Amino acid sequence: MTATLTDDLLDIYNALFAAFGHQHWWPAKTPFETMVGAILAQNVSWTNAAQAVANLDGAGMLDPHVLSAADTPDIARLIVPSRFYNRKAERIREFAGVYVTEFQADPAVMTAVETGALRERLLALRGFGKETVDTILLYACTKPVFVVDAYTRRAFSRYGLLPQKASYDRMQRLFSDNLDPDVELFNDYHAQIVHLGKTVCRKSPLCDRCPVRAVRGTLACAGARA
Ligand code: SF4
């Protein structure tokens, strides 16, 4: 029987899970912390973003009402580790204001909004790109939206399942068109891809230790043959 794209994607996930174990994303105590973390993680490592989240928490500012009423410089000085801190402070303050006024600072209210409409609303906010918005939809609102990123492009283009310059939408369709909308699967699959990209499928890939190298018994990956 010929393997389908769905089979391949599930086999890749299962190989990643078997090698790395469940990734337990998103590392946050509340949905709002996840939302703020998604903004802080833009263009920076999670280690730096996590330090900024911890600073906000330590100052008692990881609260939508507090952040929406705060002065931008007061936010900025706490999130310096996340880089681009002035811009991110403004974005966080603006988002916190929307979260309070439009969603009553209640993740259940936000999650009750139809996924497409909520995605459009968040994409309309300044500084909110698709990766940030989809991260919030999946990890804070538990919507079945697959998050993709540069790690996804690198590994899956090497694997031959995406063009090298695949757009965000093209990458996302690979997963959303071929997998059932499963929040648990989408949650851990994206986390596994990030772990793969950080540890194995790096700029110079470590193919000899890659768990997806021989999925379906073939050396399907272009990187593996290189
Ligand atoms: S076999 Fe190599 S190039 Fe392919 S996904 Fe693994 S690390 Fe990346």
Side-chain angles (χ1 to χ4, degrees):
M1 195 168 70
T2 308
T4 65
L5 210 41
T6 300
D7 293 331
D8 283 341
L9 292 175
L10 290 174
D11 286 349
I12 290 168
Y13 172 73
N14 289 330
L16 292 169
F17 181 90
F20 300 145
H22 197 284
Q23 295 297 298
H24 302 290
W25 278 30
W26 182 281
K29 294 192 289 288
T30 67
F32 183 69
E33 183 179 321
T34 299
M35 298 172 202
V36 172
I39 300 169
L40 290 169
Q42 292 172 341
N43 304 308
V44 72
S45 73
W46 174 246
T47 304
N48 289 56
Q51 183 58 60
V53 170
N55 289 350
L56 287 172
D57 197 19
M61 291 185 70
L62 204 48
D63 176 284
H65 296 94
V66 173
L67 281 173
S68 64
D71 291 329
T72 303
D74 290 338
I75 303 172
R77 68 181 170 77
L78 291 168
I79 64 168
V80 167
S82 76
R83 299 176 66 209
F84 313 109
Y85 44 89
N86 287 320
R87 199 184 316 157
K88 288 183 178 179
E90 190 64 31
R91 304 293 185 257
I92 288 170
R93 196 181 62 77
E94 287 177 4
F95 171 72
V98 169
Y99 189 58
V100 168
T101 56
E102 297 185 27
F103 303 109
Q104 288 93 63
D106 183 345
V109 172
M110 196 166 167
T111 299
V113 179
E114 188 272 328
T115 302
L118 181 57
R119 191 171 192 263
E120 286 306 309
R121 178 66 191 98
L122 296 178
L123 283 171
L125 295 172
R126 286 198 302 158
F128 276 55
K130 291 175 181 175
E131 186 181 336
T132 300
V133 167
D134 289 343
T135 297
I136 291 171
L137 292 175
L138 177 61
Y139 291 104
C141 300
T142 60
K143 301 274 196 184
V145 176
F146 205 100
V147 181
V148 292
D149 60 4
Y151 292 124
T152 315
R153 184 180 294 107
R154 186 162 71 196
F156 283 79
S157 64
R158 285 170 170 173
Y159 206 81
L161 294 179
L162 284 173
Q164 274 188 346
K165 295 182 178 172
S167 67
Y168 187 95
D169 292 348
R170 173 69 181 81
M171 289 193 282
Q172 192 174 50
R173 282 200 306 275
L174 171 66
F175 299 93
S176 51
D177 287 357
N178 293 292
L179 296 173
D180 289 336
D182 179 334
V183 171
E184 288 301 315
L185 175 65
F186 286 11
N187 174 315
D188 195 51
Y189 206 149
H190 172 62
Q192 296 286 353
I193 293 169
V194 171
H195 190 71
L196 177 74
K198 284 182 175 174
T199 60
V200 179
C201 196
R202 307 195 305 208
K203 195 170 177 184
S204 296
L206 306 173
C207 301
D208 57 343
R209 63 172 85 160
C210 180
V212 304
R213 182 179 182 187
V215 167
R216 307 201 70 76
T218 64
L219 294 184
C221 191
R225 290 194 296 271

